[in-house]
Amino acid sequence: MILNRFASNAVFAIRSCPIAGAISKFHSSASVDAKVAVLGAAGGIGQPLSLLCKLSPEVDELSCYDIVGTPGVAADLSHIPTKSSTTGSLPSPVSWPPTHDKGLAEALNGADVVVIPAGVPRKPGMTRDDLFNTNASIVQKLVEGCANFCPEAMIAIISNPVNSTVPIAAEVLKKAGVYNKQKLAGVTTLDVCRANTFVANSQGMDPKDVNVTVIGGHAGITILPLFSRVPGINFSDEELEKITVRTQFGGDEVVAAKAGAGSATLSMAYAGYLFTENILKALRGEEVTQCAFVESNLTDAQYFASPVRFGKNGVEEILPLGELSPYEKAWFDIMMPDLKAQIQKGVDFVSKK
């Protein structure tokens, strides 16, 4: 009983960070079982993300997939006393005649939400775009599996560069004839977490009382926090510039601090968990609003991160952007060419194959 209370308290604690309007109280309106598949579950993000999903009362079945290590990850997680069952799958061996990846099929069959953190991490000096050639192929292959084995699942992309990997996923699903713009999103929640944390620390506030809307994309200058909309804060021009740039390049701060040993894995896992749990609540009938990188008509970029209302069908509504401050408008004009170029790079990757 003590252990079960501890698990419940841990879940309560990790939910305490508000996410750009996300509804944090849960009152389930349905008892439908929910299966979450984590692709890349043995990696630096995948393992803590899988742990947090295992702790979540929203998850009934957790399937872990990676090229190595997932049976051990799943066995380890299975000892945690929560209601969800846990399985771990590896790619099936090469065989003749050739067949599909039975391990991936096992992980994806019946999945309601697929979270993809798979790929190589950033190292010092690397940008998210430097990761493109490796991670683009990984995302393409995994989303091809989603198209085959769980075409109606909500797909949440964490693999960087998100500004390009989300368009890659969309083009793969289009080729397979199963694309639904309501069921694909890039996870930008970490940008919101960072903005909330940096504001709270600088202003002497409790992070749970801060909710920063972050728009644009998920790489460098394409990340645009709208600090002008946060009540009760007071920044000089110099402080505003500093906290904006820190939010945009928060990942570099972690990469440098880890000195080549990895990138932002724990905070990204937390952000991915928050996003996933909110999606599960929405699929069960709750109205949830959170920032996400989705197909959008808010700007002339095909995909854009902004507050999105999620419901039973996935993306239900992309909320109006509203007025930007002169400072934010200047950043917006700077970022848009980069954002559109990164999106096009993802589209071209699939179309030219």
Side-chain angles (χ1 to χ4, degrees):
M1 282 299 165
I2 292 173
L3 285 175
N4 284 329
R5 281 202 306 275
F6 175 79
S8 298
N9 289 340
V11 172
F12 176 80
I14 60 183
R15 287 176 172 170
S16 62
C17 174
I19 296 299
I23 295 171
S24 59
K25 293 182 180 179
F26 173 62
H27 302 285
S28 178
S29 58
S31 58
V32 179
D33 286 353
K35 176 177 178 177
V36 172
V38 178
L39 308 185
I45 297 171
Q47 287 202 45
L49 173 59
S50 297
L51 170 62
L52 293 171
C53 288
K54 172 63 176 166
L55 290 174
S56 173
E58 302 300 317
V59 179
D60 298 283
E61 182 180 351
L62 174 64
S63 63
C64 303
Y65 176 89
D66 211 323
I67 56 173
V68 295
T70 35
V73 170
D76 198 356
L77 292 172
S78 72
H79 293 182
I80 297 171
T82 59
K83 69 172 184 176
S84 58
S85 62
T86 313
T87 58
S89 307
L90 296 169
S92 54
V94 176
S95 61
W96 187 262
T99 184
H100 64 264
D101 183 343
K102 295 177 182 177
L104 184 58
E106 179 183 300
L108 292 176
N109 280 328
D112 299 288
V113 179
V114 180
V115 193
I116 306 181
V120 298
R122 280 202 297 160
K123 296 179 180 178
M126 292 178 70
T127 66
R128 287 180 174 87
D129 205 48
D130 292 331
L131 304 177
F132 180 85
N133 288 333
T134 299
N135 287 358
S137 297
I138 292 171
V139 170
Q140 180 180 24
K141 180 179 179 182
L142 294 175
V143 175
E144 286 171 350
C146 294
N148 288 329
F149 305 120
C150 58
E152 296 183 1
M154 183 77 202
I155 302 173
I157 305 288
I158 291 174
S159 307
N160 279 316
V162 165
N163 294 351
S164 300
T165 53
V166 169
I168 286 171
E171 294 303 309
V172 168
L173 295 168
K174 288 174 186 177
K175 278 193 170 184
V178 295
Y179 177 62
N180 179 352
K181 66 181 181 180
Q182 293 180 273
K183 292 296 186 75
L184 175 65
V187 179
T188 61
T189 310
L190 181 52
D191 302 325
V192 178
C193 286
R194 284 176 174 148
N196 289 350
T197 300
F198 300 159
V199 165
N201 290 347
S202 69
Q203 300 288 299
M205 302 168 73
D206 188 329
K208 70 178 177 59
D209 297 326
V210 182
N211 236 333
V212 182
T213 296
V214 182
I215 66 169
H218 183 59
I221 65 168
T222 71
I223 299 168
L224 180 52
L226 304 183
F227 293 120
S228 68
R229 300 184 183 181
V230 182
I233 65 172
N234 183 26
F235 289 130
S236 68
D237 291 347
E238 183 181 350
E239 289 169 335
L240 178 58
E241 178 76 6
K242 185 176 180 180
I243 198 169
T244 297
V245 172
R246 189 183 181 199
T247 303
Q248 292 171 330
F249 295 96
D252 293 357
E253 186 177 304
V254 177
V255 169
K258 289 189 175 181
S263 57
T265 53
L266 300 176
S267 55
M268 184 64 250
Y270 172 69
Y273 151 77
L274 289 175
F275 184 87
T276 301
E277 186 168 73
N278 277 325
I279 291 297
L280 290 171
K281 291 176 182 179
L283 294 177
R284 283 175 164 153
E286 285 198 48
E287 187 176 298
V288 172
T289 300
Q290 59 184 344
C291 290
F293 187 67
V294 298
E295 183 175 329
S296 172
N297 59 7
L298 287 181
T299 71
D300 59 351
Q302 186 176 0
Y303 301 89
F304 195 79
S306 64
V308 175
R309 183 172 62 82
F310 290 88
K312 287 185 176 181
N313 298 310
V315 174
E316 299 279 4
E317 181 186 9
I318 297 170
L319 302 183
L321 196 53
E323 230 18 72
L324 302 180
S325 72
Y327 177 81
E328 292 159 356
K329 182 63 168 63
W331 268 116
F332 180 89
D333 292 340
I334 292 169
M335 79 170 177
M336 287 303 292
D338 273 13
L339 178 58
K340 289 187 284 187
Q342 291 168 30
I343 291 168
Q344 191 60 48
K345 187 171 184 177
V347 172
D348 291 344
F349 178 81
V350 178
S351 64
K352 292 178 178 178
K353 280 204 160 191

